[in-house]
Amino acid sequence: MITIRKSQDRGYADHGWLKSYHSFSFAGYYDPAHMGWGNLRVINEDRIAPGTGFGAHGHRDMEIISYVLQGNLAHKDSMGNVKGIPPGDVQRMSAGSGVMHSEFNHAVGQTTHFLQIWIEPNVTGIAPSYEQKTVPDADKRGQLRLVAAGEPEGDAVKIHADAALYAGLFDGAESTELAIDPARKAYVHLVRGQLSVNGQRLSGGDAALIEQESRIRLDDGQDAEVLVFDLAA
């Protein structure tokens, strides 16, 4: 079964310095029908204005992934990490027993556009940790590349959760299939462009909530960038 959620049906907040679309209930946006999907709790599509950002704030017992689309996200945390996250990098922060961090856009005249993703962990109270990997576009072209997982392969970052995250780029005749366990859930978030998911057409910002299916087929892309989540039910 596949349920399509259109981009315009997401929550939206305009704070001036920050414009954010919420796929699931978050902060001032509350929708009891969209509290998460499986153990996926948050997908926020954020645009941070130049010279602004999130001041120091805390998290606990959450796996947080940042996926930058444009600009650069400056990260600083209480573990001593001071990093810049450019497009193509995947950053994972395990909040564990507690961590403080800040995120800023220090660029002049350029908006930082990124996805902030929260996945509920399968262990709590662990020591907080940080990981960042570069995933070249060539590795995502016409295929799904594993970028984060509880049991990572290659250059994927490790998350302390029963989940896997794939990223892909599709255009023209490029297509792929991903086998999934029908007892689990899956979630497809189309970052940009257009793409067909099991024959259903998505446009940028749209999502497909998937359950009781054994495969995901992606094809007929038009400048498409997509994230696919394999999730605990």
Side-chain angles (χ1 to χ4, degrees):
M1 183 169 64
I2 300 178
T3 302
I4 304 299
R5 188 163 191 231
K6 303 300 289 182
S7 174
Q8 62 267 25
D9 295 332
R10 295 178 293 174
Y12 179 69
D14 185 347
H15 301 286
W17 65 274
L18 170 68
K19 294 177 173 58
S20 183
Y21 286 95
H22 305 313
S23 294
F24 303 109
S25 294
F26 187 87
Y29 167 62
Y30 174 71
D31 180 349
H34 295 97
M35 298 298 295
W37 185 248
N39 51 350
L40 175 60
R41 181 60 187 84
V42 168
I43 300 180
N44 290 344
E45 182 181 357
D46 291 341
R47 290 175 172 86
I48 303 176
T52 67
F54 301 93
H57 59 282
H59 294 284
R60 182 183 298 273
D61 289 329
M62 191 65 70
E63 298 296 297
I64 301 172
I65 297 170
S66 296
Y67 187 90
V68 177
L69 306 170
Q70 177 186 356
N72 194 293
L73 185 65
H75 168 98
K76 183 177 181 180
D77 63 45
S78 54
M79 295 176 283
N81 297 296
V82 180
K83 302 283 188 178
I85 309 168
D89 277 22
V90 176
Q91 177 236 48
R92 181 271 301 167
M93 186 176 71
S94 297
S97 59
V99 65
M100 298 288 291
H101 80 138
S102 61
E103 297 162 300
F104 275 88
N105 173 15
H106 295 305
V108 176
Q110 185 177 27
T111 297
T112 292
H113 181 197
F114 77 108
L115 296 176
Q116 180 179 165
I117 299 160
W118 294 8
I119 300 175
E120 296 172 353
N122 54 10
V123 290
T124 59
I126 63 174
S129 60
Y130 181 98
E131 191 177 12
Q132 184 174 334
K133 297 284 185 68
T134 300
V135 184
D137 281 357
D139 290 357
K140 297 178 281 188
R141 172 54 56 196
Q143 61 184 341
L144 288 174
R145 164 70 184 273
L146 184 68
V147 297
E151 298 181 1
E153 301 173 357
D155 290 333
V157 299
K158 178 178 177 57
I159 53 176
H160 300 87
D162 181 7
L165 170 59
Y166 301 83
L169 300 170
F170 296 90
D171 196 47
E174 296 170 338
S175 66
T176 195
E177 287 194 1
L178 178 69
I180 54 174
D181 183 345
R184 294 172 63 80
K185 290 188 175 183
Y187 189 90
V188 178
H189 179 87
L190 187 58
V191 177
R192 59 180 169 89
Q194 294 189 327
L195 187 67
S196 290
V197 179
N198 288 18
Q200 300 201 46
R201 197 69 172 159
L202 301 186
S203 298
D206 293 350
L209 293 77
I210 300 172
E211 55 185 340
Q212 299 174 6
E213 297 282 343
S214 60
R215 69 181 182 94
I216 299 172
R217 178 169 177 80
L218 307 177
D219 57 17
D220 196 19
Q222 295 181 15
D223 190 30
E225 183 169 7
V226 66
L227 297 181
V228 177
F229 297 82
D230 181 347
L231 303 161

PDB file of all heavy atoms in Angstrom, residues 133-148:
ATOM      1  N   LYS A 133      30.380  12.048   6.279  1.00  0.00           N
ATOM      2  CA  LYS A 133      30.965  11.398   5.114  1.00  0.00           C
ATOM      3  C   LYS A 133      30.539  12.134   3.840  1.00  0.00           C
ATOM      4  O   LYS A 133      29.443  12.687   3.774  1.00  0.00           O
ATOM      5  CB  LYS A 133      30.521   9.937   5.016  1.00  0.00           C
ATOM      6  CG  LYS A 133      30.962   9.045   6.176  1.00  0.00           C
ATOM      7  CD  LYS A 133      32.415   8.678   6.088  1.00  0.00           C
ATOM      8  CE  LYS A 133      32.834   7.696   7.173  1.00  0.00           C
ATOM      9  NZ  LYS A 133      32.236   6.360   6.999  1.00  0.00           N
ATOM     10  N   THR A 134      31.419  12.096   2.829  1.00  0.00           N
ATOM     11  CA  THR A 134      31.106  12.666   1.523  1.00  0.00           C
ATOM     12  C   THR A 134      30.586  11.567   0.601  1.00  0.00           C
ATOM     13  O   THR A 134      31.187  10.496   0.512  1.00  0.00           O
ATOM     14  CB  THR A 134      32.349  13.313   0.891  1.00  0.00           C
ATOM     15  OG1 THR A 134      32.816  14.362   1.754  1.00  0.00           O
ATOM     16  CG2 THR A 134      32.048  13.903  -0.480  1.00  0.00           C
ATOM     17  N   VAL A 135      29.479  11.852  -0.068  1.00  0.00           N
ATOM     18  CA  VAL A 135      28.902  10.905  -1.025  1.00  0.00           C
ATOM     19  C   VAL A 135      28.861  11.591  -2.391  1.00  0.00           C
ATOM     20  O   VAL A 135      27.993  12.423  -2.643  1.00  0.00           O
ATOM     21  CB  VAL A 135      27.490  10.461  -0.611  1.00  0.00           C
ATOM     22  CG1 VAL A 135      26.965   9.409  -1.583  1.00  0.00           C
ATOM     23  CG2 VAL A 135      27.490   9.920   0.812  1.00  0.00           C
ATOM     24  N   PRO A 136      29.778  11.259  -3.291  1.00  0.00           N
ATOM     25  CA  PRO A 136      29.817  11.925  -4.602  1.00  0.00           C
ATOM     26  C   PRO A 136      28.550  11.664  -5.407  1.00  0.00           C
ATOM     27  O   PRO A 136      27.939  10.592  -5.304  1.00  0.00           O
ATOM     28  CB  PRO A 136      31.038  11.288  -5.287  1.00  0.00           C
ATOM     29  CG  PRO A 136      31.855  10.698  -4.177  1.00  0.00           C
ATOM     30  CD  PRO A 136      30.874  10.299  -3.123  1.00  0.00           C
ATOM     31  N   ASP A 137      28.168  12.648  -6.231  1.00  0.00           N
ATOM     32  CA  ASP A 137      26.990  12.479  -7.073  1.00  0.00           C
ATOM     33  C   ASP A 137      27.110  11.251  -7.968  1.00  0.00           C
ATOM     34  O   ASP A 137      26.110  10.574  -8.246  1.00  0.00           O
ATOM     35  CB  ASP A 137      26.775  13.725  -7.945  1.00  0.00           C
ATOM     36  CG  ASP A 137      26.117  14.866  -7.174  1.00  0.00           C
ATOM     37  OD1 ASP A 137      25.785  14.677  -5.983  1.00  0.00           O
ATOM     38  OD2 ASP A 137      25.937  15.942  -7.772  1.00  0.00           O
ATOM     39  N   ALA A 138      28.317  10.948  -8.416  1.00  0.00           N
ATOM     40  CA  ALA A 138      28.505   9.807  -9.312  1.00  0.00           C
ATOM     41  C   ALA A 138      28.067   8.504  -8.649  1.00  0.00           C
ATOM     42  O   ALA A 138      27.618   7.574  -9.338  1.00  0.00           O
ATOM     43  CB  ALA A 138      29.967   9.705  -9.738  1.00  0.00           C
ATOM     44  N   ASP A 139      28.175   8.418  -7.327  1.00  0.00           N
ATOM     45  CA  ASP A 139      27.781   7.201  -6.615  1.00  0.00           C
ATOM     46  C   ASP A 139      26.265   7.082  -6.465  1.00  0.00           C
ATOM     47  O   ASP A 139      25.754   6.010  -6.109  1.00  0.00           O
ATOM     48  CB  ASP A 139      28.420   7.176  -5.222  1.00  0.00           C
ATOM     49  CG  ASP A 139      29.920   6.963  -5.269  1.00  0.00           C
ATOM     50  OD1 ASP A 139      30.455   6.787  -6.374  1.00  0.00           O
ATOM     51  OD2 ASP A 139      30.549   6.971  -4.198  1.00  0.00           O
ATOM     52  N   LYS A 140      25.544   8.188  -6.699  1.00  0.00           N
ATOM     53  CA  LYS A 140      24.080   8.191  -6.575  1.00  0.00           C
ATOM     54  C   LYS A 140      23.394   8.189  -7.939  1.00  0.00           C
ATOM     55  O   LYS A 140      22.171   8.028  -8.005  1.00  0.00           O
ATOM     56  CB  LYS A 140      23.629   9.421  -5.775  1.00  0.00           C
ATOM     57  CG  LYS A 140      24.128   9.449  -4.337  1.00  0.00           C
ATOM     58  CD  LYS A 140      23.697  10.698  -3.592  1.00  0.00           C
ATOM     59  CE  LYS A 140      24.553  11.901  -3.928  1.00  0.00           C
ATOM     60  NZ  LYS A 140      24.259  13.075  -3.074  1.00  0.00           N
ATOM     61  N   ARG A 141      24.167   8.371  -8.999  1.00  0.00           N
ATOM     62  CA  ARG A 141      23.583   8.512 -10.324  1.00  0.00           C
ATOM     63  C   ARG A 141      22.950   7.211 -10.814  1.00  0.00           C
ATOM     64  O   ARG A 141      23.613   6.184 -10.931  1.00  0.00           O
ATOM     65  CB  ARG A 141      24.679   8.966 -11.302  1.00  0.00           C
ATOM     66  CG  ARG A 141      24.311   8.998 -12.780  1.00  0.00           C
ATOM     67  CD  ARG A 141      23.085   9.809 -13.086  1.00  0.00           C
ATOM     68  NE  ARG A 141      23.165  11.192 -12.624  1.00  0.00           N
ATOM     69  CZ  ARG A 141      22.103  11.989 -12.500  1.00  0.00           C
ATOM     70  NH1 ARG A 141      20.899  11.516 -12.775  1.00  0.00           N
ATOM     71  NH2 ARG A 141      22.256  13.225 -12.089  1.00  0.00           N
ATOM     72  N   GLY A 142      21.634   7.234 -11.026  1.00  0.00           N
ATOM     73  CA  GLY A 142      20.921   6.085 -11.559  1.00  0.00           C
ATOM     74  C   GLY A 142      20.809   4.909 -10.615  1.00  0.00           C
ATOM     75  O   GLY A 142      20.463   3.802 -11.033  1.00  0.00           O
ATOM     76  N   GLN A 143      21.070   5.132  -9.333  1.00  0.00           N
ATOM     77  CA  GLN A 143      21.000   4.040  -8.367  1.00  0.00           C
ATOM     78  C   GLN A 143      20.751   4.603  -6.973  1.00  0.00           C
ATOM     79  O   GLN A 143      20.857   5.815  -6.752  1.00  0.00           O
ATOM     80  CB  GLN A 143      22.307   3.247  -8.363  1.00  0.00           C
ATOM     81  CG  GLN A 143      23.528   4.067  -7.973  1.00  0.00           C
ATOM     82  CD  GLN A 143      24.818   3.284  -8.081  1.00  0.00           C
ATOM     83  OE1 GLN A 143      24.818   2.062  -8.114  1.00  0.00           O
ATOM     84  NE2 GLN A 143      25.939   3.991  -8.134  1.00  0.00           N
ATOM     85  N   LEU A 144      20.423   3.720  -6.043  1.00  0.00           N
ATOM     86  CA  LEU A 144      20.272   4.104  -4.649  1.00  0.00           C
ATOM     87  C   LEU A 144      21.548   3.750  -3.912  1.00  0.00           C
ATOM     88  O   LEU A 144      21.960   2.592  -3.878  1.00  0.00           O
ATOM     89  CB  LEU A 144      19.077   3.397  -4.013  1.00  0.00           C
ATOM     90  CG  LEU A 144      17.708   3.896  -4.460  1.00  0.00           C
ATOM     91  CD1 LEU A 144      16.605   3.021  -3.873  1.00  0.00           C
ATOM     92  CD2 LEU A 144      17.492   5.361  -4.056  1.00  0.00           C
ATOM     93  N   ARG A 145      22.151   4.748  -3.313  1.00  0.00           N
ATOM     94  CA  ARG A 145      23.382   4.568  -2.559  1.00  0.00           C
ATOM     95  C   ARG A 145      23.052   4.610  -1.064  1.00  0.00           C
ATOM     96  O   ARG A 145      22.416   5.553  -0.581  1.00  0.00           O
ATOM     97  CB  ARG A 145      24.375   5.675  -2.929  1.00  0.00           C
ATOM     98  CG  ARG A 145      25.537   5.858  -1.964  1.00  0.00           C
ATOM     99  CD  ARG A 145      26.534   4.704  -2.008  1.00  0.00           C
ATOM    100  NE  ARG A 145      27.565   4.884  -1.014  1.00  0.00           N
ATOM    101  CZ  ARG A 145      28.694   5.589  -1.202  1.00  0.00           C
ATOM    102  NH1 ARG A 145      28.907   6.160  -2.369  1.00  0.00           N
ATOM    103  NH2 ARG A 145      29.586   5.696  -0.252  1.00  0.00           N
ATOM    104  N   LEU A 146      23.471   3.578  -0.335  1.00  0.00           N
ATOM    105  CA  LEU A 146      23.287   3.565   1.112  1.00  0.00           C
ATOM    106  C   LEU A 146      24.130   4.669   1.734  1.00  0.00           C
ATOM    107  O   LEU A 146      25.345   4.713   1.532  1.00  0.00           O
ATOM    108  CB  LEU A 146      23.692   2.209   1.683  1.00  0.00           C
ATOM    109  CG  LEU A 146      23.465   2.013   3.181  1.00  0.00           C
ATOM    110  CD1 LEU A 146      21.971   1.972   3.504  1.00  0.00           C
ATOM    111  CD2 LEU A 146      24.144   0.729   3.654  1.00  0.00           C
ATOM    112  N   VAL A 147      23.495   5.583   2.486  1.00  0.00           N
ATOM    113  CA  VAL A 147      24.241   6.691   3.088  1.00  0.00           C
ATOM    114  C   VAL A 147      24.196   6.664   4.612  1.00  0.00           C
ATOM    115  O   VAL A 147      25.019   7.315   5.262  1.00  0.00           O
ATOM    116  CB  VAL A 147      23.748   8.057   2.560  1.00  0.00           C
ATOM    117  CG1 VAL A 147      23.981   8.171   1.061  1.00  0.00           C
ATOM    118  CG2 VAL A 147      22.281   8.321   2.895  1.00  0.00           C
ATOM    119  N   ALA A 148      23.241   5.930   5.204  1.00  0.00           N
ATOM    120  CA  ALA A 148      23.186   5.813   6.669  1.00  0.00           C
ATOM    121  C   ALA A 148      22.453   4.523   7.009  1.00  0.00           C
ATOM    122  O   ALA A 148      21.455   4.177   6.372  1.00  0.00           O
ATOM    123  CB  ALA A 148      22.458   7.005   7.291  1.00  0.00           C
TER     124      ALA A 148
END
